[in-house]
Amino acid sequence: MTKGMNEKAILVGCQLNNENEQFHYSMGELAALTKTANGEVLIMITQKRERKDSFTYIGKGKVEEISALVEELEADLVIFNDELSPSQLRNLAKILNVRVIDRTQLILDIFAGRARSKEGKLQVELAQLQYLLPRLGGQGIELSRLGGGIGTRGPGETKLESDRRHIRRRIDEIKNQLATVVNHRERYRIRRKKNKAFQIALVGYTNAGKSTLFNRLSAAESYEENQLFATLDPMTRKFILPSGYIGLLTDTVGFIQDLPTTLIAAFRSTLEEVREADLLLHVVDASNPNYDNHEKTVQKLLTELEMEHIPQLTVYNKIDVQDPEFVPTSTKKILISALNSEDRERLKQKVEKDAIGVMEPYSVIIPSTEGKLLSLLKSDTILRELIFKEELQAYKCKGFALVDHPVTGALQRYQL
């Protein structure tokens, strides 16, 4: 899509009788997602119903109202705040005579525009193709408009209007390529495990401030923007704790409610990195009125990704602009502003405490000639005491080290 050319969108939501606050928040989020995809929201149309209409998702009268609005406002597309079935999508496109996409397509589209690494791009393309496969019939004109706006970005040269067989072949191809990428990363991980380090992963709802925190904790250059899904590809950097100990910090893609199932499956391997973590820093945006629901969404997704067993520290962020109703619910928590250096220091100290919790204490006398080992103690262990004993021409060292770290073996012969 041409930069600066914002597509005009009408947003549509169907509120079931038992939904209220959550529904309105979800519509607001849909508007934020549209803006992230370079869309301009013209109007929001909502309808209360007992159940969704199986033919057009909303009632006949509402569809007519939207059809008139499309013409009057010269809308480029209509975005529905739910995942539409293939038949609903077809019927609506036919009646409204304009491009119709759903929440899932919109999220996939944003991911397509954001993926940077080869793996990220492959993951998104796989998710998009899996989503499109059952929706091919009767959508011919739509699919030939690839690259023509929101919901059409993505599988680059793939000719989606060609038959299902072509798409299935491409899906198999991507899966094979991804398997290779995953093997590469597995080898990196094994190498990292060998040089065992304390691994910390940042997780949280999209736009909670993870990348801002990541950049300031690790002096990295992760994309930092007040947008949904600003970071897509996981990034790992060194993280220096107050004692000088070097851990590893990984930034991850933001979670979101109603994340398309195709994406959960596709990004499972991207989040494999997180599975190796010793500690999860769950970043929650304390300034967002819906922070409580965000927290629950992340916990639900962590359970789905089988990562709920990893120790967690909840980091309530943006505390300087917190919501008036904000009350922290997590028991293991810290309240900070990622932009405040003192707050970041407190967070580092808390992380160091957690690292010590999984380490073994050591007390050794190391000859001053062992310069390399002494320097390793500073970076690869949490060094609490370093005293030079002149009579021994050696250093008395006390601290904590990871049990399976190579340095632990080297310290054996110098134990007190």
Side-chain angles (χ1 to χ4, degrees), residues 133-270:
L133 198 54
R135 292 167 173 81
L136 277 180
Q139 264 207 72
I141 51 158
E142 282 309 302
L143 300 177
S144 62
R145 294 188 71 252
L146 255 194
I150 298 172
T152 64
R153 268 188 285 257
E157 303 85 61
T158 312
K159 296 279 183 288
L160 288 178
E161 64 272 17
S162 60
D163 62 7
R164 286 187 168 83
R165 215 165 47 239
H166 175 87
I167 290 187
R168 286 204 181 98
R169 210 167 36 240
R170 180 67 187 140
I171 285 174
D172 289 341
E173 222 173 87
I174 292 172
K175 283 182 174 171
N176 288 335
Q177 287 186 45
L178 278 172
T180 313
V181 176
V182 169
N183 279 339
H184 273 304
R185 208 179 33 230
E186 189 54 41
R187 283 205 293 278
Y188 273 127
R189 246 199 331 263
I190 289 165
R191 200 180 312 154
R192 272 222 304 262
K193 262 188 160 170
K194 235 184 189 157
N195 308 318
K196 179 76 178 156
F198 187 75
Q199 295 185 46
I200 306 122
L202 290 166
V203 295
Y205 206 79
T206 182
N207 209 23
K210 292 186 304 300
S211 297
T212 305
L213 190 58
F214 179 72
N215 288 341
R216 281 160 179 75
L217 288 176
S218 67
E221 285 175 28
S222 179
Y223 184 68
E224 187 187 308
E225 190 68 48
N226 182 23
Q227 277 182 324
L228 299 173
F229 304 119
T231 306
L232 197 57
D233 299 307
M235 219 185 204
T236 301
R237 291 279 182 273
K238 286 178 177 174
F239 176 32
I240 302 168
L241 294 176
S243 63
Y245 175 74
I246 297 172
L248 291 175
L249 185 66
T250 300
D251 189 15
T252 62
V253 59
F255 292 20
I256 193 166
Q257 63 179 353
D258 309 322
L259 188 70
T261 42
T262 45
L263 265 185
I264 292 181
F267 279 85
R268 200 172 270 271
S269 62
T270 307

Side-chain angles (χ1 to χ4, degrees), residues 205-334:
Y205 206 79
T206 182
N207 209 23
K210 292 186 304 300
S211 297
T212 305
L213 190 58
F214 179 72
N215 288 341
R216 281 160 179 75
L217 288 176
S218 67
E221 285 175 28
S222 179
Y223 184 68
E224 187 187 308
E225 190 68 48
N226 182 23
Q227 277 182 324
L228 299 173
F229 304 119
T231 306
L232 197 57
D233 299 307
M235 219 185 204
T236 301
R237 291 279 182 273
K238 286 178 177 174
F239 176 32
I240 302 168
L241 294 176
S243 63
Y245 175 74
I246 297 172
L248 291 175
L249 185 66
T250 300
D251 189 15
T252 62
V253 59
F255 292 20
I256 193 166
Q257 63 179 353
D258 309 322
L259 188 70
T261 42
T262 45
L263 265 185
I264 292 181
F267 279 85
R268 200 172 270 271
S269 62
T270 307
L271 290 167
E272 283 293 310
E273 296 275 305
V274 180
R275 286 200 177 166
E276 300 291 324
D278 299 290
L279 175 68
L280 295 181
L281 293 183
H282 174 185
V283 185
V284 178
D285 177 358
S287 73
N288 192 305
N290 214 37
Y291 71 91
D292 189 43
N293 186 50
H294 289 182
E295 234 177 300
K296 287 177 182 143
T297 300
V298 172
Q299 294 302 352
K300 183 172 167 270
L301 283 166
L302 285 173
T303 304
E304 277 177 43
L305 295 161
E306 295 158 9
M307 292 192 295
E308 73 281 15
H309 62 282
I310 304 169
Q312 265 187 56
L313 170 62
T314 306
V315 181
Y316 290 106
N317 186 27
K318 308 187 191 178
I319 212 72
D320 48 332
V321 286
Q322 72 180 58
D323 183 71
E325 310 273 295
F326 170 72
V327 179
T329 47
S330 178
T331 46
K332 197 178 173 202
K333 62 181 181 294
I334 183 169

Side-chain angles (χ1 to χ4, degrees), residues 19 118 201 215 246 253 277 285 291 340 356 358 369 377:
E19 301 170 333
K118 184 186 178 191
N215 288 341
I246 297 172
V253 59
D285 177 358
Y291 71 91
N340 182 307
I356 288 171
V358 297
T369 51
L377 289 191

